[in-house]
Amino acid sequence: MTTHLLLGQTLAFTGDPFSRPWEDCVEHHESGGVLVRDGRIEAVGDGNALQAANPGVPVANYGRDLILPGFVDAHMHYPQTGIIASWGKRLIDWLNTYTFPEEMRFRDPAYAAEVAGRTLDLALAHGTTTLCSFCTIHPESVDAFFEAAQAREMRVVAGKTCMDRDTAPEGLRDTARAAHDESAALIARWHGRGRATYAITPRFSPTSTPAQLEALGALWAGNPTCLMQTHLSEQVDEVAWVRGLYPEARDYLDTYESHGLLGARGLYGHSIHLEPREIDRLREVGAAVVHCPTSNTFIGSGLFDLAGLKGRGIPVGLATDTGGGSFFSMLRTMAAAYEVAQLRGQAIHPAQLLWLATEASARALHLDGTIGSLRPGADADLVVLDLASTPAVAQRAKRAEDLWQAVFPTIMMGDDRAIRATWVAGRPMARPA
Ligand code: GUN
Ligand code: ZN
């Protein structure tokens, strides 16, 4: 049995701070503790009391640092790590110029393994303990990602990206049949194995034929515990393109819905330019949308309506969308979510931002209770934040009169230097305590 006691400030959520006053949804201990045993959280509470009740248990004392659930990045593309921050394009040109040539390289399993490991190590260094990633059309790219996660004991979600239309380049296309069969084989190999979850992954309607969407819809129906991830209404040009490619569809979401690809375990990345019918249908089925704010500003996609969609009861996850997004950091992603909301006249409280980056993303992935929270029984995937990580942050945090004033400078100005430690399955990873 491996047991540790982490001491520091702790912040746990007891509810959704968008649906109730945030004050009613948080439990903060200034001198708190998290007891972890065999990879799980056993107890959270007053640090001194936990220490007295558990004599002899090794202690990692983080002082005034803030212990949170590890960040959950609900939508990213690990094969795009190497082309993050590529200049000057909008979505379709950006895909053709930077993304597709890079993704072709993943037919080489050694390259895939190297980038998968690098991505996961970067994630851990930024306090992210779970990623939900697109891979490439190559099944080897999926094996590489799950194997790299397994080596680090990380809980991840991923799937083979499927594309069979001639809108995707030669060399980066499969077929409806191959997409189905290769995804089915990967589900059999990985879904539910250790900490792995499989997501059936049509890239987006413009790069799939109706036959491929149909085949993947059938695969999902036969594997209902899998997630399904894709993109929806990211840019205005893309929405018009979809209308041209699928003239019979009522709207963009209908291209998925009419092929069996709308469901509660569906994850719809971006979802910026939605029609009222699409919003109604997402809500009716309980599907999640994923907010990718650094990507949406970087590629020039638009301003996601966070308060509007949360207000309609739609589950929202938060994500980097690496490499459309230009940061590996969920701190920077929270900051961008705040900034985008400001531009829409919505002030998002730090409690809401932290909840989005942890439990809300876990809920979107149907992994709530397992990750994204400090509840006893949850996996001991944790991040410890230094709230004075740089002189600029420290001089502001020093004047803080409460936790929120202390943590907001780190959300707005922090980066990987704010990550004092990352714990995965009850073990310290990034910087051992
Ligand atoms: N839409 C389809 N593919 C992609 C992708 O790789 N990144 C982003 N941001 N949008 C997409
Ligand atoms: Zn994406």
Side-chain angles (χ1 to χ4, degrees), residues 163-258:
M163 299 196 277
D164 72 333
R165 252 195 210 246
D166 60 6
T167 44
E170 175 90 48
L172 211 54
R173 288 199 296 264
D174 50 16
T175 61
R177 163 60 63 103
H180 177 281
D181 293 356
E182 290 172 359
S183 301
L186 288 162
I187 291 168
R189 193 170 322 143
W190 288 109
H191 184 54
R193 176 167 155 199
R195 304 190 79 198
T197 297
Y198 195 86
I200 295 166
T201 307
R203 180 178 216 114
F204 65 160
S205 293
T207 46
S208 288
T209 61
Q212 180 169 80
L213 296 181
E214 192 75 35
L216 294 175
L219 182 65
W220 197 17
N223 294 275
T225 62
C226 286
L227 297 169
M228 192 290 302
Q229 61 177 346
T230 190
H231 298 86
L232 177 67
S233 296
E234 181 176 358
Q235 294 209 335
V236 171
D237 295 356
E238 172 206 5
V239 176
W241 191 26
V242 169
R243 199 173 299 123
L245 292 170
Y246 293 84
E248 70 294 347
R250 286 171 289 183
D251 45 44
Y252 195 158
L253 186 67
D254 195 36
T255 64
Y256 299 125
E257 183 172 0
S258 60

XYZ file of all heavy atoms in Angstrom, residues 163-258:
749
model
N -10.869 10.059 -41.644
C -11.080 10.992 -42.774
C -11.070 10.167 -44.052
O -10.072 9.489 -44.321
C -9.940 12.019 -42.873
C -9.774 12.909 -41.676
S -8.758 14.366 -42.058
C -7.108 13.707 -41.868
N -12.137 10.213 -44.824
C -12.148 9.445 -46.084
C -12.591 10.275 -47.292
O -12.790 9.717 -48.364
C -13.033 8.196 -45.955
C -14.515 8.538 -45.927
O -14.877 9.657 -45.504
O -15.323 7.677 -46.325
N -12.750 11.606 -47.107
C -13.160 12.426 -48.260
C -11.944 13.000 -48.953
O -10.897 13.196 -48.310
C -14.004 13.608 -47.777
C -15.470 13.486 -48.120
C -16.124 14.837 -47.937
N -17.509 14.672 -47.554
C -18.543 15.034 -48.295
N -18.377 15.595 -49.462
N -19.775 14.841 -47.861
N -12.100 13.379 -50.200
C -10.945 13.954 -50.910
C -10.660 15.397 -50.485
O -9.754 16.031 -51.011
C -11.105 13.837 -52.423
C -12.346 14.570 -52.914
O -12.999 15.259 -52.106
O -12.664 14.445 -54.125
N -11.384 15.891 -49.514
C -11.040 17.171 -48.882
C -9.800 17.009 -47.995
O -9.154 17.999 -47.651
C -12.212 17.642 -48.009
O -12.690 16.502 -47.277
C -13.351 18.182 -48.850
N -9.513 15.775 -47.586
C -8.260 15.480 -46.881
C -7.244 15.009 -47.924
O -7.619 14.447 -48.943
C -8.482 14.392 -45.839
N -5.963 15.256 -47.681
C -4.979 14.939 -48.721
C -4.737 13.441 -48.871
O -4.951 12.669 -47.935
C -3.714 15.640 -48.232
C -3.879 15.751 -46.762
C -5.346 15.879 -46.494
N -4.301 13.094 -50.043
C -3.818 11.741 -50.341
C -2.765 11.372 -49.288
O -1.917 12.191 -48.945
C -3.169 11.816 -51.734
C -2.482 10.565 -52.203
C -3.450 9.679 -52.955
O -4.152 10.206 -53.821
O -3.490 8.471 -52.640
N -2.846 10.195 -48.770
C -1.869 9.797 -47.747
C -2.399 10.029 -46.337
O -1.802 9.579 -45.365
N -3.522 10.733 -46.248
C -4.108 10.976 -44.923
C -5.604 10.648 -44.978
O -6.422 11.290 -44.334
C -3.879 12.429 -44.513
C -3.721 12.724 -43.010
C -2.640 11.878 -42.373
C -3.414 14.197 -42.780
N -5.907 9.640 -45.805
C -7.305 9.222 -45.929
C -7.413 7.727 -45.677
O -6.535 6.959 -46.063
C -7.823 9.504 -47.344
C -8.037 10.951 -47.640
C -8.962 11.144 -48.841
N -8.435 10.640 -50.094
C -7.791 11.390 -50.996
N -7.604 12.677 -50.771
N -7.360 10.855 -52.110
N -8.516 7.343 -45.017
C -8.842 5.923 -44.921
C -10.098 5.703 -45.755
O -10.332 6.429 -46.725
C -8.986 5.505 -43.448
C -9.919 6.428 -42.664
O -10.689 7.191 -43.305
O -9.906 6.400 -41.431
N -10.904 4.737 -45.419
C -12.182 4.511 -46.100
C -13.223 4.324 -45.002
O -12.876 4.201 -43.823
C -12.145 3.228 -46.955
O -11.901 2.112 -46.064
C -11.052 3.290 -48.010
N -14.477 4.282 -45.406
C -15.529 4.054 -44.408
C -15.272 2.717 -43.706
O -15.336 2.622 -42.467
C -16.897 4.076 -45.084
N -14.959 1.705 -44.481
C -14.738 0.366 -43.926
C -13.503 0.332 -43.021
O -13.536 -0.197 -41.903
C -14.632 -0.633 -45.099
C -14.027 -1.984 -44.811
C -14.776 -2.779 -43.774
N -16.123 -3.125 -44.160
C -16.497 -4.320 -44.589
N -15.616 -5.279 -44.694
N -17.760 -4.568 -44.875
N -12.392 0.903 -43.505
C -11.157 0.873 -42.698
C -11.347 1.677 -41.412
O -10.881 1.260 -40.338
C -9.987 1.427 -43.505
N -12.031 2.811 -41.504
C -12.259 3.628 -40.299
C -13.015 2.800 -39.262
O -12.674 2.792 -38.066
C -13.045 4.884 -40.654
N -14.048 2.098 -39.723
C -14.845 1.268 -38.820
C -14.002 0.143 -38.235
O -13.926 -0.039 -37.021
C -16.046 0.698 -39.580
C -16.883 -0.237 -38.752
N -16.516 -1.537 -38.519
C -18.042 -0.042 -38.081
C -17.416 -2.115 -37.748
N -18.357 -1.217 -37.469
N -13.336 -0.601 -39.114
C -12.654 -1.810 -38.651
C -11.428 -1.478 -37.791
O -11.167 -2.137 -36.785
C -12.246 -2.672 -39.848
C -13.469 -3.244 -40.575
O -14.608 -3.026 -40.087
O -13.291 -3.892 -41.626
N -10.692 -0.478 -38.211
C -9.501 -0.113 -37.419
C -9.918 0.480 -36.070
O -9.295 0.198 -35.041
C -8.622 0.867 -38.201
C -7.947 0.192 -39.395
C -7.202 1.147 -40.329
O -7.215 2.374 -40.078
O -6.613 0.663 -41.300
N -10.967 1.291 -36.073
C -11.446 1.834 -34.788
C -11.949 0.697 -33.897
O -11.686 0.692 -32.680
C -12.561 2.865 -35.008
O -12.111 3.937 -35.801
N -12.658 -0.254 -34.493
C -13.177 -1.387 -33.704
C -12.023 -2.175 -33.081
O -12.084 -2.572 -31.904
C -14.027 -2.296 -34.598
N -10.967 -2.392 -33.846
C -9.819 -3.146 -33.311
C -9.152 -2.359 -32.174
O -8.731 -2.936 -31.165
C -8.815 -3.417 -34.431
N -9.076 -1.037 -32.322
C -8.468 -0.208 -31.269
C -9.344 -0.191 -30.013
O -8.837 -0.184 -28.884
C -8.233 1.213 -31.793
C -7.093 1.320 -32.823
C -7.192 2.622 -33.611
C -5.727 1.204 -32.132
N -10.662 -0.180 -30.206
C -11.573 -0.251 -29.050
C -11.321 -1.559 -28.298
O -11.185 -1.573 -27.067
C -13.045 -0.147 -29.509
C -13.343 1.271 -30.023
C -13.997 -0.517 -28.366
C -14.675 1.404 -30.756
N -11.233 -2.644 -29.056
C -11.009 -3.949 -28.411
C -9.673 -3.953 -27.666
O -9.544 -4.550 -26.599
C -11.038 -5.053 -29.470
N -8.676 -3.275 -28.230
C -7.352 -3.294 -27.610
C -7.253 -2.353 -26.411
O -6.570 -2.639 -25.434
C -6.301 -2.890 -28.653
C -4.868 -3.188 -28.216
C -3.862 -3.007 -29.350
N -4.386 -3.460 -30.617
C -4.147 -2.863 -31.800
N -3.395 -1.795 -31.867
N -4.656 -3.336 -32.899
N -7.941 -1.197 -26.462
C -7.642 -0.169 -25.482
C -8.798 0.260 -24.581
O -8.568 0.693 -23.442
C -7.105 1.097 -26.198
C -5.734 0.902 -26.737
C -5.367 0.789 -28.050
C -4.512 0.756 -25.975
N -4.008 0.603 -28.160
C -3.462 0.583 -26.889
C -4.213 0.769 -24.605
C -2.140 0.419 -26.494
C -2.899 0.604 -24.199
C -1.880 0.430 -25.143
N -10.025 0.194 -25.035
C -11.111 0.823 -24.267
C -11.304 0.118 -22.925
O -11.570 -1.080 -22.867
C -12.407 0.778 -25.082
C -13.547 1.482 -24.413
N -13.473 2.796 -23.984
C -14.798 1.055 -24.066
C -14.620 3.142 -23.430
N -15.436 2.108 -23.462
N -11.129 0.872 -21.846
C -11.300 0.308 -20.505
C -10.092 -0.462 -20.017
O -10.117 -1.030 -18.929
N -8.996 -0.464 -20.805
C -7.787 -1.165 -20.349
C -6.982 -0.217 -19.467
O -6.558 0.850 -19.917
C -6.978 -1.588 -21.574
C -5.665 -2.241 -21.234
C -5.099 -2.912 -22.470
N -3.670 -3.027 -22.399
C -2.885 -3.222 -23.452
N -3.416 -3.318 -24.665
N -1.594 -3.334 -23.312
N -6.766 -0.598 -18.231
C -6.079 0.314 -17.302
C -6.850 1.620 -17.210
O -8.054 1.625 -16.938
N -6.178 2.701 -17.499
C -6.818 4.017 -17.374
C -7.210 4.588 -18.742
O -7.421 5.792 -18.862
C -5.886 4.973 -16.625
C -5.461 4.445 -15.244
C -4.734 5.515 -14.422
N -5.666 6.446 -13.831
C -5.350 7.651 -13.366
N -4.113 8.070 -13.445
N -6.268 8.433 -12.850
N -7.338 3.756 -19.756
C -7.627 4.242 -21.110
C -9.126 4.223 -21.416
O -9.833 3.289 -21.052
C -6.904 3.379 -22.142
N -9.574 5.284 -22.080
C -10.940 5.345 -22.623
C -10.830 5.628 -24.111
O -10.032 6.481 -24.524
C -11.746 6.486 -21.960
O -11.877 6.222 -20.562
C -13.149 6.614 -22.572
N -11.630 4.955 -24.911
C -11.588 5.179 -26.361
C -12.689 6.162 -26.775
O -13.827 6.071 -26.314
C -11.768 3.870 -27.136
C -11.364 4.041 -28.588
C -10.038 3.895 -28.973
C -12.291 4.427 -29.552
C -9.641 4.113 -30.284
C -11.909 4.650 -30.868
C -10.578 4.483 -31.220
O -10.185 4.713 -32.513
N -12.313 7.084 -27.656
C -13.299 7.992 -28.260
C -13.315 7.751 -29.769
O -12.280 7.906 -30.440
C -12.937 9.443 -27.971
N -14.454 7.358 -30.279
C -14.637 7.247 -31.736
C -14.494 8.664 -32.295
O -15.070 9.615 -31.745
C -16.006 6.614 -32.039
C -16.003 5.164 -31.514
C -16.336 6.675 -33.527
C -17.377 4.527 -31.437
N -13.696 8.824 -33.373
C -13.202 10.159 -33.725
C -13.298 10.478 -35.219
O -12.297 10.403 -35.932
C -11.732 10.305 -33.229
O -11.654 9.967 -31.835
C -11.212 11.713 -33.429
N -14.494 10.802 -35.708
C -14.533 11.406 -37.045
C -13.999 12.832 -36.914
O -14.468 13.583 -36.060
C -16.033 11.412 -37.390
C -16.744 11.324 -36.070
C -15.817 10.706 -35.063
N -13.016 13.217 -37.747
C -12.381 14.534 -37.529
C -13.423 15.649 -37.532
O -13.561 16.368 -36.552
C -11.343 14.812 -38.609
C -10.685 16.142 -38.394
C -9.608 16.499 -39.376
N -8.611 17.223 -38.628
C -7.378 16.813 -38.396
N -6.941 15.703 -38.931
N -6.575 17.522 -37.652
N -14.157 15.783 -38.642
C -15.330 16.655 -38.741
C -16.007 16.356 -40.070
O -15.410 15.733 -40.957
C -15.020 18.127 -38.519
C -14.141 18.886 -39.493
C -14.200 20.275 -39.540
C -13.241 18.243 -40.351
C -13.398 21.012 -40.403
C -12.428 18.976 -41.219
C -12.505 20.345 -41.244
N -17.245 16.784 -40.191
C -18.043 16.406 -41.367
C -17.359 16.704 -42.694
O -17.483 15.917 -43.627
C -19.405 17.097 -41.322
O -20.137 16.586 -40.248
N -16.618 17.824 -42.841
C -16.026 18.102 -44.155
C -15.004 17.076 -44.627
O -14.743 17.002 -45.829
C -15.351 19.470 -43.958
C -16.093 20.105 -42.844
C -16.483 18.974 -41.929
N -14.395 16.303 -43.717
C -13.397 15.332 -44.171
C -13.914 13.893 -44.133
O -13.126 12.957 -44.295
C -12.082 15.444 -43.352
O -12.407 15.519 -41.963
C -11.286 16.666 -43.768
N -15.215 13.715 -43.921
C -15.800 12.369 -43.968
C -16.910 12.326 -45.007
O -17.652 13.310 -45.178
C -16.414 11.975 -42.622
O -15.432 11.703 -41.660
N -17.053 11.185 -45.668
C -18.229 10.966 -46.515
C -19.398 10.581 -45.610
O -19.191 10.105 -44.479
C -17.982 9.819 -47.508
O -17.719 8.625 -46.739
C -16.804 10.123 -48.431
N -20.620 10.754 -46.108
C -21.764 10.268 -45.326
C -21.610 8.782 -44.983
O -21.969 8.357 -43.884
C -22.955 10.512 -46.263
C -22.524 11.685 -47.110
C -21.043 11.509 -47.319
N -21.015 8.009 -45.881
C -20.841 6.571 -45.610
C -19.925 6.359 -44.411
O -20.156 5.463 -43.584
C -20.279 5.871 -46.847
N -18.888 7.177 -44.288
C -17.995 7.019 -43.127
C -18.694 7.434 -41.834
O -18.572 6.759 -40.809
C -16.707 7.830 -43.310
C -15.790 7.659 -42.124
C -14.396 8.220 -42.332
O -14.183 9.415 -42.222
N -13.443 7.346 -42.623
N -19.419 8.549 -41.888
C -20.154 8.959 -40.680
C -21.137 7.864 -40.268
O -21.274 7.553 -39.075
C -20.877 10.287 -40.934
C -19.982 11.511 -41.218
C -20.844 12.758 -41.435
C -18.977 11.762 -40.090
N -21.793 7.278 -41.234
C -22.754 6.191 -40.970
C -22.054 4.994 -40.309
O -22.548 4.435 -39.327
C -23.376 5.765 -42.315
C -24.578 4.857 -42.225
C -25.830 5.615 -41.782
O -25.995 6.800 -42.152
O -26.628 5.005 -41.041
N -20.907 4.631 -40.853
C -20.171 3.471 -40.313
C -19.727 3.749 -38.881
O -19.792 2.861 -38.009
C -18.959 3.179 -41.205
N -19.296 4.969 -38.611
C -18.849 5.296 -37.252
C -20.038 5.429 -36.299
O -19.934 5.089 -35.112
C -17.987 6.562 -37.266
C -16.658 6.390 -38.022
C -15.898 7.708 -38.101
C -15.776 5.319 -37.366
N -21.172 5.881 -36.823
C -22.391 5.909 -36.002
C -22.787 4.493 -35.590
O -23.155 4.243 -34.432
N -22.678 3.568 -36.528
C -23.011 2.160 -36.221
C -22.018 1.600 -35.201
O -22.395 0.862 -34.277
C -22.992 1.329 -37.506
N -20.759 1.973 -35.356
C -19.738 1.491 -34.406
C -20.032 2.002 -33.000
O -19.909 1.262 -32.015
C -18.352 1.979 -34.871
C -17.175 1.521 -34.024
C -16.992 0.001 -34.096
C -15.883 2.224 -34.449
N -20.452 3.252 -32.902
C -20.779 3.837 -31.595
C -21.994 3.134 -30.989
O -22.012 2.823 -29.785
C -21.025 5.338 -31.758
C -20.972 6.119 -30.480
C -20.426 5.732 -29.294
C -21.480 7.445 -30.280
N -20.553 6.745 -28.371
C -21.193 7.786 -28.940
C -22.135 8.370 -31.092
C -21.556 9.034 -28.401
C -22.482 9.607 -30.561
C -22.205 9.936 -29.229
N -22.987 2.865 -31.837
C -24.183 2.162 -31.336
C -23.808 0.797 -30.757
O -24.385 0.345 -29.762
C -25.204 2.010 -32.462
N -22.809 0.170 -31.359
C -22.375 -1.144 -30.867
C -21.413 -1.053 -29.695
O -21.133 -2.071 -29.041
N -20.894 0.130 -29.436
C -19.932 0.348 -28.339
C -20.350 1.584 -27.561
O -19.644 2.607 -27.538
C -18.518 0.521 -28.910
C -17.996 -0.741 -29.565
O -17.448 -1.614 -28.908
N -18.214 -0.850 -30.870
N -21.515 1.518 -26.903
C -22.100 2.736 -26.334
C -21.336 3.314 -25.145
O -21.602 4.461 -24.764
C -23.506 2.292 -25.918
C -23.417 0.809 -25.765
C -22.381 0.339 -26.734
N -20.393 2.562 -24.570
C -19.629 3.169 -23.467
C -18.453 4.004 -23.985
O -17.806 4.709 -23.211
C -19.097 2.104 -22.477
O -18.209 1.234 -23.190
C -20.232 1.300 -21.864
N -18.182 3.907 -25.277
C -17.137 4.780 -25.838
C -17.652 6.212 -25.901
O -18.850 6.458 -26.050
C -16.768 4.350 -27.258
S -15.787 2.847 -27.306
N -16.708 7.140 -25.843
C -17.047 8.514 -26.159
C -16.983 8.694 -27.677
O -16.529 7.798 -28.405
C -16.072 9.475 -25.469
C -16.106 9.441 -23.935
C -14.939 10.220 -23.351
C -17.419 10.006 -23.413
N -17.476 9.832 -28.164
C -17.363 10.180 -29.584
C -16.932 11.642 -29.606
O -17.560 12.475 -28.967
C -18.717 10.004 -30.276
C -18.701 10.051 -31.798
S -18.370 11.639 -32.591
C -19.671 12.684 -31.940
N -15.833 11.942 -30.276
C -15.371 13.335 -30.313
C -15.251 13.804 -31.759
O -14.872 13.048 -32.653
C -14.034 13.496 -29.592
C -12.900 12.684 -30.179
C -11.565 12.907 -29.483
O -11.417 13.873 -28.722
N -10.598 12.040 -29.728
N -15.576 15.078 -31.958
C -15.458 15.672 -33.283
C -15.424 17.192 -33.134
O -15.250 17.708 -32.022
C -16.604 15.175 -34.199
O -16.346 15.576 -35.542
C -17.961 15.677 -33.751
N -15.539 17.893 -34.264
C -15.578 19.362 -34.261
C -16.938 19.824 -34.772
O -17.535 19.170 -35.627
C -14.497 19.935 -35.178
C -13.098 19.592 -34.757
N -12.476 18.426 -35.128
C -12.210 20.268 -33.980
C -11.254 18.399 -34.597
N -11.069 19.499 -33.901
N -17.364 20.977 -34.260
C -18.662 21.518 -34.667
C -18.592 23.049 -34.729
O -18.178 23.693 -33.754
C -19.730 21.086 -33.647
C -21.148 21.612 -33.850
C -21.772 21.025 -35.122
C -22.030 21.261 -32.639
N -18.967 23.609 -35.875
C -19.195 25.058 -35.989
C -18.097 25.900 -35.345
O -18.357 26.705 -34.460
C -20.552 25.408 -35.372
O -21.559 24.786 -36.121
N -16.883 25.688 -35.866
C -15.732 26.429 -35.325
C -15.575 27.783 -36.034
O -15.352 28.800 -35.389
C -14.478 25.572 -35.514
C -13.196 26.174 -34.991
C -12.019 25.205 -35.126
O -12.225 24.063 -35.592
O -10.895 25.595 -34.779
N -15.678 27.757 -37.374
C -15.542 29.012 -38.120
C -16.727 29.181 -39.072
O -17.303 28.184 -39.553
C -14.229 29.036 -38.919
C -13.012 29.060 -38.013
C -11.792 29.741 -38.604
O -11.634 29.823 -39.819
N -10.918 30.220 -37.732
N -17.042 30.421 -39.373
C -18.182 30.718 -40.246
C -17.989 30.087 -41.636
O -18.908 29.486 -42.192
C -18.381 32.248 -40.331
C -19.404 32.610 -41.385
C -18.802 32.792 -38.972
N -16.774 30.183 -42.187
C -16.500 29.592 -43.507
C -16.727 28.084 -43.501
O -17.174 27.500 -44.478
C -15.027 29.784 -43.910
C -14.681 31.232 -44.097
O -15.583 32.069 -43.987
O -13.484 31.507 -44.351
N -16.338 27.476 -42.395
C -16.478 26.023 -42.264
C -17.968 25.636 -42.249
O -18.361 24.642 -42.879
C -15.791 25.599 -40.958
C -15.981 24.168 -40.539
C -15.848 24.006 -39.018
O -15.702 25.007 -38.291
O -15.924 22.846 -38.557
N -18.785 26.422 -41.557
C -20.223 26.133 -41.503
C -20.807 26.207 -42.919
O -21.596 25.339 -43.334
C -20.949 27.107 -40.543
C -22.459 26.865 -40.560
C -20.404 26.982 -39.123
N -20.372 27.211 -43.688
C -20.861 27.350 -45.071
C -20.390 26.167 -45.924
O -21.135 25.653 -46.763
C -20.372 28.666 -45.664
N -19.167 25.730 -45.680
C -18.602 24.581 -46.416
C -19.438 23.326 -46.142
O -19.791 22.579 -47.056
C -17.154 24.404 -45.945
C -16.290 23.471 -46.719
C -16.418 23.109 -48.034
C -15.129 22.789 -46.218
N -15.404 22.248 -48.380
C -14.596 22.049 -47.291
C -14.472 22.746 -44.979
C -13.449 21.250 -47.153
C -13.330 21.966 -44.840
C -12.826 21.231 -45.915
N -19.766 23.125 -44.889
C -20.573 21.950 -44.515
C -21.946 22.018 -45.191
O -22.460 21.001 -45.686
C -20.708 21.866 -42.979
C -21.748 20.827 -42.576
C -19.359 21.548 -42.346
N -22.508 23.227 -45.242
C -23.818 23.373 -45.886
C -23.731 22.926 -47.354
O -24.610 22.245 -47.861
C -24.289 24.827 -45.780
C -25.773 24.986 -45.979
C -26.256 26.426 -45.708
N -26.007 26.867 -44.342
C -25.302 27.945 -43.993
N -24.742 28.722 -44.920
N -25.138 28.273 -42.727
N -22.630 23.273 -48.021
C -22.447 22.873 -49.418
C -22.223 21.381 -49.581
O -22.698 20.766 -50.543
N -21.500 20.785 -48.641
C -21.184 19.352 -48.750
C -22.361 18.463 -48.356
O -22.459 17.317 -48.807
C -19.982 19.013 -47.847
C -18.614 19.584 -48.251
C -17.585 19.365 -47.138
C -18.122 18.921 -49.546
N -23.214 18.980 -47.474
C -24.361 18.201 -46.970
C -25.641 19.014 -47.179
O -26.250 19.481 -46.212
C -24.187 17.893 -45.475
C -23.044 16.959 -45.146
C -21.746 17.432 -45.010
C -23.262 15.586 -44.970
C -20.685 16.582 -44.720
C -22.217 14.724 -44.670
C -20.934 15.227 -44.547
O -19.904 14.370 -44.247
N -26.054 19.183 -48.447
C -27.185 20.090 -48.717
C -28.493 19.629 -48.071
O -29.372 20.451 -47.801
C -27.287 20.081 -50.251
C -26.489 18.913 -50.712
C -25.482 18.608 -49.666
N -28.596 18.342 -47.798
C -29.846 17.838 -47.219
C -29.918 18.032 -45.699
O -30.985 17.870 -45.088
C -30.044 16.355 -47.586
C -29.116 15.359 -46.928
C -27.625 15.495 -47.340
O -27.306 16.198 -48.332
O -26.794 14.919 -46.643
N -28.788 18.384 -45.063
C -28.765 18.496 -43.590
C -29.461 19.779 -43.138
O -29.366 20.817 -43.794
C -27.322 18.475 -43.094
N -30.132 19.696 -41.991
C -30.803 20.884 -41.447
C -29.788 21.923 -40.979
O -30.016 23.115 -41.030
C -31.697 20.482 -40.268
C -32.968 19.760 -40.704
C -33.706 19.188 -39.520
N -32.997 18.038 -38.946
C -33.440 17.310 -37.931
N -34.584 17.633 -37.341
N -32.763 16.271 -37.492
N -28.662 21.465 -40.477
C -27.606 22.340 -39.979
C -26.372 21.464 -39.778
O -26.394 20.259 -40.091
C -28.029 23.043 -38.674
C -28.691 22.078 -37.701
O -28.158 20.958 -37.556
O -29.732 22.413 -37.111
N -25.315 22.033 -39.243
C -24.045 21.293 -39.086
C -24.242 20.091 -38.150
O -23.828 18.962 -38.456
C -22.990 22.268 -38.551
C -21.543 21.858 -38.632
C -20.546 22.837 -38.602
C -21.129 20.527 -38.718
C -19.193 22.516 -38.669
C -19.782 20.189 -38.789
C -18.823 21.186 -38.748
O -17.485 20.851 -38.799
N -24.886 20.331 -37.002
C -25.080 19.220 -36.051
C -25.846 18.075 -36.699
O -25.601 16.901 -36.401
C -25.812 19.710 -34.795
C -25.944 18.664 -33.674
C -24.577 18.308 -33.083
C -26.876 19.167 -32.562
N -26.746 18.410 -37.601
C -27.553 17.367 -38.245
C -26.703 16.433 -39.089
O -27.079 15.273 -39.304
C -28.647 18.022 -39.106
C -29.735 17.037 -39.509
O -30.068 16.147 -38.684
O -30.254 17.144 -40.634
N -25.554 16.902 -39.575
C -24.687 15.982 -40.335
C -24.207 14.853 -39.423
O -23.964 13.743 -39.883
C -23.468 16.719 -40.959
O -22.627 17.241 -39.926
C -23.912 17.848 -41.880
N -24.060 15.134 -38.147
C -23.718 14.078 -37.178
C -24.974 13.318 -36.741
O -25.018 12.083 -36.737
C -23.012 14.683 -35.958
C -21.710 15.382 -36.297
C -21.473 16.701 -35.932
C -20.716 14.715 -37.011
C -20.278 17.338 -36.251
C -19.525 15.342 -37.353
C -19.309 16.658 -36.966
O -18.135 17.277 -37.302
N -25.991 14.080 -36.390
C -27.209 13.476 -35.843
C -27.812 12.452 -36.807
O -28.207 11.354 -36.409
C -28.223 14.591 -35.549
C -29.489 14.100 -34.907
C -30.398 15.233 -34.437
O -30.047 16.424 -34.615
O -31.465 14.911 -33.881
N -27.853 12.817 -38.091
C -28.520 11.937 -39.050
C -27.691 10.684 -39.350
O -28.154 9.787 -40.057
C -28.818 12.697 -40.345
O -27.613 13.160 -40.899
